[in-house]
Amino acid sequence: MEYAPFSSWPDVAPRLIAVAAGREAADMVIRGGIWINVHSREALPDHSIAIAAGRVAYVGPDASHCIGPDTQIIEAKGRYMIPGLCDAHMHIESGMLTPAEFARAVIPHGTTSMFTDPHEIANVLGLDGVRMMHDEALMQPVNIFTQMPSCAPSAPGLETTGYEITAEDVAEAMTWPGIIGLGEMMNFPGVIHADPKMLAEIAATQRAGKTVGGHYASPDLGPDFAAYVAGGPADDHEGTCEADAIARVRQGMRSMMRLGSAWYDVESQITAVTEKGLDPRNFILCTDDCHSGTLVNEGHMNRVVRHAIACGCDPLIALQMATINTATHFGLEREIGSITPGRRADVILSSDLTDLPIEMVIARGQVVAENGAIKVDCPHYDWPDRARNTVHLGHALAAADFEITAPEGANRVRANVIGVVENQAPTQALKAELPIIGGLVEGEGDVCQIALVERHRATGGVTNAFVSGFGYQGRMAMASTVAHDSHHMIAVGTDRDQMALAANRLAEVGGGITIFRDGEELALVELPIAGLMSDSPAADVAAKAQKMVEAMHACGCQLNNAYMQHSLLALVVIPELRISDLGLVDVRTFEKIDLLEPLA
């Protein structure tokens, strides 16, 4: 495996100095544009950029002294010259793509730096899987920095993962060349109560001089929040309202505001800057996460910046939140995040600072995309068989595996029901009275069944419960091996036969997403790598994902990006109610609860 070669600033400083002074010719000069300076928050017209060895050598009104006979000239023609965009928090696997294909999808949208936490594959393949993601990331023509996953399992004792991440794993990963810090510390109760394992992971990261990612998914901003911050996490993306954003920056954290395929948390938090007037330097934009359909059809970080501007944010401040603020947070202000001498030459050309059309993308001094078309190769890692054979059910499933037996003598029961909330990661803890037919509890109205199917150790285990909010109708089922964070298999359906068909189909293809109705497969997205990713081009995966969305609509679901809701129903670190292989989990108390309750 070969990493994409790139020289450090000290290695090429003599050349940068010579080009800036006019003693040597630049490799490239971008001429006659409006320089977006994110350090001073200025738009400076009639400037040029000289690039050498993949880094910025000179920025000024006239770069003619840097031009030689072999210098590539790019005429900016009065367009804005913007630093390449940075995604501060994301999980590549959630795009259903490998790092190479994810990079290929986002480069034309102006993303040149990503800070990725591969904790999805960590749950399936452990440290081995993290290393595969790390290695493919370093092969790319843009900057993909890897955060070592911190929590597999994310909630010890409440779920069973394929592998467990240890403090020793974290310490080892801190020595790898592409590791930038520790991934989101989702086990916030563990930090609050000084769990030795969690503190050891944080300590290993801090002693390596790297950044600890946060994840505080609780509305409690009292002593528990203070204890979490005291434990070391340096940022948080789980805020959903203005008070959350303000509390984080006041405590010295960075508030990461996300706009993904299903999470719309920017509008409700950016008022801390636009209305309350807080210093914007501690606010950062991110996606967390975008699936392939969003990437192909709507964009990536350019979409987030446009949205922030539409929410009333000054365009230059929004760009700071997607460039220099991110770079500074991760200790990379002298490497990426701005168009200034010595930094990697990551530049976007755009004719409009509000709509942000991405007309040309330059990364490390190379034109990598133009007018939406990729111009470079994104090399693939050779994924081994052990990464492609990860769905182990133990036996073929049948309708009987999804039965929920009623208490003896009961005619109706009260069930704890997971309530899906559109465009939000949190769920609701609902209760519903459900009928009993033939000794089995049945869904009714908008309440249908959900099952967590164990797929790592071939135990044959199936945990059954109920969910509300999808609006499904008819005899149908949807199943996915993308089931954050433990990534077993989630099946949701109105009919147990269809649930069995869907689950068995995913075992057959090695993972992915499928939808069945009346015995017919309406859509299939194959994700053969760890049951999470495809190494096919993003456009191909997006086309299959679109058929999945259409199939969900055909089955009655009208929610925005409902697949993302589906994939998070086992995420036992975000309130209120979730399902795991060990049962139904009330995340408000971090305790397992009974599915059925006696009626008074």
Side-chain angles (χ1 to χ4, degrees), residues 140 216 286 362:
Q140 304 314 308
Y216 183 76
C286 67
I362 295 161

Side-chain angles (χ1 to χ4, degrees), residues 140-164:
Q140 304 314 308
V142 291
N143 315 306
I144 305 182
F145 302 100
T146 302
Q147 295 174 290
M148 175 60 197
S150 61
C151 299
S154 59
L158 296 177
E159 63 179 349
T160 309
T161 57
Y163 283 84
E164 180 177 347

Side-chain angles (χ1 to χ4, degrees), residues 191-361:
V191 176
I192 292 166
H193 294 98
D195 177 84
K197 180 176 180 289
M198 296 300 99
L199 297 191
E201 292 184 5
I202 293 172
T205 306
Q206 291 175 322
R207 289 180 179 129
K210 301 180 188 293
T211 305
V212 178
H215 170 117
Y216 183 76
S218 170
D220 182 359
L221 298 176
D224 278 357
F225 175 62
Y228 183 73
V229 178
D235 55 62
D236 188 58
H237 55 272
E238 289 296 335
T240 59
C241 63
E242 182 185 88
D244 290 339
I246 291 173
R248 282 150 177 78
V249 299
R250 282 179 176 169
Q251 293 295 319
M253 301 179 90
R254 258 72 177 212
S255 174
M256 291 186 174
M257 303 176 293
R258 61 187 174 185
L259 177 76
S261 291
W263 325 136
Y264 287 67
D265 296 322
V266 174
E267 185 174 9
S268 60
Q269 296 184 88
I270 204 165
T271 52
V273 173
T274 59
E275 296 179 12
K276 291 294 191 295
L278 270 63
D279 188 336
R281 65 178 175 169
N282 290 316
F283 293 83
I284 291 172
L285 296 173
C286 67
T287 61
D288 188 42
D289 289 306
C290 292
H291 64 61
S292 56
T294 301
L295 299 179
V296 170
N297 300 313
E298 299 180 46
H300 190 233
M301 282 304 298
N302 56 331
R303 170 177 174 261
V304 185
V305 173
R306 284 197 303 264
H307 176 70
I309 294 169
C311 291
C313 188
D314 180 288
L316 293 180
I317 292 176
L319 287 170
Q320 286 179 315
M321 291 178 178
T323 58
I324 192 63
N325 291 8
T326 306
T328 300
H329 177 57
F330 288 101
L332 293 173
E333 184 179 337
R334 301 282 290 171
E335 193 68 20
I336 62 171
S338 68
I339 304 171
T340 44
R343 278 69 171 184
R344 300 184 186 192
D346 300 335
V347 182
I348 298 166
L349 295 185
S350 177
S351 56
D352 190 288
L353 210 56
T354 300
D355 292 335
L356 208 64
I358 307 299
E359 294 154 0
M360 180 177 286
V361 183

Side-chain angles (χ1 to χ4, degrees), residues 449-470:
Q449 282 195 223
I450 180 173
L452 197 292
V453 180
E454 200 283 330
R455 69 136 167 143
H456 297 313
R457 294 179 172 82
T459 66
V462 179
T463 301
N464 290 296
F466 293 101
V467 65
S468 172
F470 285 114

